[in-house]
Amino acid sequence: MAHSHDDHHKVPADVALRVKALETALTRRGYINPDTLEAIIDTYEHKVGPQNGARVIARAWNDPDFKSRLLDNASSAVGELGFGGIIEGTDVTVVENRPGLHNMVVCTLCSCYPWALLGLPPGWYKSFAYRSRAVSEPRSVLAEFGVELSPDVEVRVWDSTAELRYLVMPQRPEGTEDQDEAALAQLVTRNGMIGTALL
Ligand code: FE
């Protein structure tokens, strides 16, 4: 998944050392349990990621009843697939792309993001440039991601908060009518669910 907006954060060695020192100090004082810490890191590195959101979108494309439950109350509907709740404990709302309507998501304040469905946010999502420009000039930002929308397509920008996070349901690609859910899930990208890519 290589493109210009992807992040490639490297943690400087001195920062890594400081983190390690903090972890050791907190463990010695009994404030944290290293096993719990490992479990949390493992969750975010291996269990939580865009593949979860992709499964949700694929299910919705293939199951109209699930789709209406998802658009009506995503927090509850994603629970049917075993997502949400424990990791996040916040509400998620799914907004649907349609012909003539494109949705994109930002957190103007910081980096609120539907972790349980998308994993950790990419670096650009947290950048000041994206957070400020997504609202003031969404079409320019989209163009930089390679998303060229015709002027008659309405763009709606959704501002995620700590309490309410948004996920975009991309339009189902044409010619995928015969594909099953597993195959469909392969087509759904992280940026597609943020709204900074078309499928
Ligand atoms: Fe935030």
Side-chain angles (χ1 to χ4, degrees):
M1 220 198 262
H3 54 73
S4 59
H5 279 91
D6 231 337
D7 61 319
H8 297 284
H9 279 314
K10 279 210 179 79
V11 178
D14 62 324
V15 174
L17 272 175
R18 281 164 187 271
V19 169
K20 193 69 208 160
L22 266 174
E23 187 185 329
T24 305
L26 291 170
T27 303
R28 286 213 184 112
R29 285 166 176 77
Y31 291 129
I32 58 170
N33 176 337
D35 294 337
T36 309
L37 209 56
E38 279 308 314
I40 293 170
I41 292 167
D42 180 61
T43 297
Y44 281 106
E45 282 192 337
H46 304 292
K47 301 192 179 94
V48 172
Q51 70 274 10
N52 291 358
R55 280 187 54 205
V56 171
I57 299 302
R59 170 71 57 89
W61 283 344
N62 242 8
D63 179 342
D65 291 336
F66 177 76
K67 179 176 163 180
S68 40
R69 289 197 296 280
L70 186 68
L71 293 173
D72 186 48
N73 183 343
S75 302
S76 142
V78 300
E80 296 176 33
L81 296 177
F83 302 135
I86 302 160
I87 297 169
E88 196 156 10
T90 54
D91 276 328
V92 60
T93 288
V94 172
V95 288
E96 183 189 14
N97 284 350
R98 295 189 296 266
L101 173 63
H102 183 83
N103 296 284
M104 71 186 280
V105 181
V106 65
C107 171
T108 55
L109 206 61
C110 44
S111 58
C112 298
Y113 193 71
W115 298 326
L117 300 174
L118 293 184
L120 297 174
W124 56 259
Y125 185 84
K126 298 182 272 189
S127 71
F128 179 73
Y130 181 76
R131 284 160 38 217
S132 52
R133 295 179 57 225
V135 174
S136 60
E137 40 173 338
R139 281 172 196 277
S140 311
V141 173
L142 286 171
E144 287 165 30
F145 277 92
V147 177
E148 304 275 359
L149 299 172
S150 88
D152 57 337
V153 173
E154 181 192 347
V155 177
R156 284 188 197 156
V157 181
W158 301 85
D159 194 358
S160 276
T161 65
E163 290 79 31
L164 179 56
R165 294 145 200 245
Y166 295 93
L167 185 83
V168 174
M169 183 190 302
Q171 292 190 64
R172 181 175 179 154
E174 286 177 25
T176 59
E177 293 74 17
D178 299 333
Q179 297 197 15
D180 65 12
E181 234 174 272
L184 288 171
Q186 298 293 321
L187 305 175
V188 185
T189 61
R190 178 193 68 193
N191 286 15
M193 291 180 281
I194 303 175
T196 51
L198 301 173
L199 305 187

Coordinates of all heavy atoms in Angstrom, one line a residue, residues 106-113 125 131 159-162 165, ligand 1:
V106 N -12.6 13.4 9.1 CA -11.5 14.1 9.6 C -11.7 14.2 11.1 O -12.9 14.0 11.6 CB -11.3 15.5 9.0 CG1 -12.5 16.4 9.4 CG2 -10.0 16.2 9.5
C107 N -10.7 14.4 11.9 CA -10.9 14.9 13.3 C -10.1 16.2 13.3 O -8.9 16.2 13.3 CB -10.3 13.9 14.3 SG -10.3 14.6 16.0
T108 N -10.9 17.3 13.4 CA -10.2 18.6 13.3 C -9.4 18.9 14.6 O -8.5 19.6 14.6 CB -11.2 19.7 13.1 OG1 -12.2 19.6 14.1 CG2 -11.9 19.6 11.7
L109 N -9.8 18.3 15.7 CA -9.2 18.6 17.0 C -8.0 17.8 17.2 O -7.0 18.3 17.7 CB -10.3 18.2 18.1 CG -10.1 19.0 19.4 CD1 -10.3 20.5 19.1 CD2 -11.2 18.5 20.3
C110 N -8.0 16.5 16.9 CA -6.8 15.7 17.1 C -6.7 14.5 16.1 O -6.3 14.7 15.0 CB -6.8 15.2 18.6 SG -8.4 14.6 19.2
S111 N -7.1 13.3 16.5 CA -7.0 12.2 15.6 C -8.0 11.1 15.9 O -7.8 9.9 15.7 CB -5.6 11.6 15.8 OG -5.4 11.2 17.1
C112 N -9.2 11.5 16.3 CA -10.3 10.5 16.6 C -10.6 9.7 15.4 O -10.7 10.3 14.3 CB -11.5 11.2 17.1 SG -11.2 12.1 18.7
Y113 N -10.8 8.4 15.6 CA -10.7 7.5 14.5 C -11.4 6.2 14.9 O -11.3 5.8 16.1 CB -9.2 7.2 14.2 CG -8.8 6.5 12.9 CD1 -8.9 7.2 11.7 CD2 -8.2 5.3 13.0 CE1 -8.5 6.5 10.5 CE2 -7.7 4.7 11.9 CZ -7.9 5.3 10.6 OH -7.4 4.7 9.5
Y125 N -3.4 11.5 8.7 CA -4.7 11.8 9.3 C -4.6 12.7 10.5 O -5.4 13.5 10.9 CB -5.4 10.5 9.7 CG -6.8 10.6 10.2 CD1 -7.9 10.7 9.4 CD2 -7.1 10.6 11.6 CE1 -9.2 10.8 9.8 CE2 -8.4 10.8 12.1 CZ -9.4 10.8 11.2 OH -10.7 11.0 11.7
R131 N -6.0 18.0 9.0 CA -7.1 18.4 9.9 C -7.7 19.7 9.5 O -8.9 20.0 9.7 CB -6.6 18.4 11.3 CG -6.4 16.9 11.9 CD -5.5 16.9 13.1 NE -5.7 18.0 13.9 CZ -4.7 18.6 14.5 NH1 -3.4 18.2 14.4 NH2 -4.9 19.7 15.3
D159 N -16.7 15.4 11.1 CA -15.7 15.7 12.1 C -15.9 14.7 13.2 O -16.8 14.8 14.0 CB -15.9 17.1 12.6 CG -14.7 17.6 13.4 OD1 -13.7 16.8 13.5 OD2 -14.7 18.7 13.8
S160 N -14.9 13.7 13.3 CA -15.0 12.7 14.3 C -14.6 13.3 15.7 O -13.8 14.3 15.7 CB -14.0 11.6 14.0 OG -14.6 10.6 13.2
T161 N -15.2 12.8 16.7 CA -14.9 13.3 18.1 C -14.6 12.0 18.9 O -14.7 10.9 18.5 CB -16.0 14.0 18.7 OG1 -17.1 13.1 18.9 CG2 -16.4 15.2 17.9
A162 N -14.2 12.3 20.2 CA -13.9 11.2 21.1 C -15.2 10.3 21.3 O -15.1 9.1 21.4 CB -13.4 11.7 22.4
R165 N -17.4 8.6 16.1 CA -16.4 8.5 15.0 C -17.1 8.0 13.8 O -18.0 7.2 13.9 CB -15.3 7.5 15.5 CG -14.5 8.0 16.6 CD -14.0 7.0 17.5 NE -13.7 7.5 18.8 CZ -12.5 7.5 19.4 NH1 -11.5 7.0 18.7 NH2 -12.2 8.1 20.5
Ligands
FE1 FE -9.5 13.5 17.8

